[in-house]
Amino acid sequence: MTKRALINRIAVATGLSKVQTAQVVELWMEQLGQELASTGRVELRGFGVFTVADHKPFNTVSPQTGEPIEVRSQRQIHFKAGKQLKAKINP
């Protein structure tokens, strides 16, 4: 499902305009990102948990040139599905 398809489905289900629904979806995504950046965890009961994990830098080799490459440390988002969401795909 694309973001546009999600907005269309929510607009139809709620009776809101597509513009209003798009604003809500954008606001939700912005708030999710801000909360992950500040606390590193967002829990939506029944849906799942978003967490941020810090990965240490490491050295590797380029497969094309064989030159050593240093990969910087980075933060990655992880998602673990909740029980209700799992139950929807595994009845």
Side-chain angles (χ1 to χ4, degrees), residues 22 24 40 44 55 61 64 72 79:
V24 170
L44 302 171
H55 291 275
V61 178
Q64 293 177 340
R72 298 180 307 178
F79 176 74

Side-chain angles (χ1 to χ4, degrees), residues 35-70:
E35 190 64 22
L36 284 172
S38 66
T39 65
R41 181 178 169 88
V42 174
E43 182 177 342
L44 302 171
R45 297 280 167 112
F47 183 71
V49 179
F50 295 91
T51 56
V52 175
D54 294 318
H55 291 275
K56 296 179 182 179
F58 63 94
N59 294 319
T60 187
V61 178
S62 170
Q64 293 177 340
T65 64
E67 293 181 28
I69 299 173
E70 184 179 332

Side-chain angles (χ1 to χ4, degrees), residues 40 51-55 74-78:
T51 56
V52 175
D54 294 318
H55 291 275
Q74 48 186 310
R75 300 178 81 196
Q76 293 182 339
I77 298 172
H78 295 272

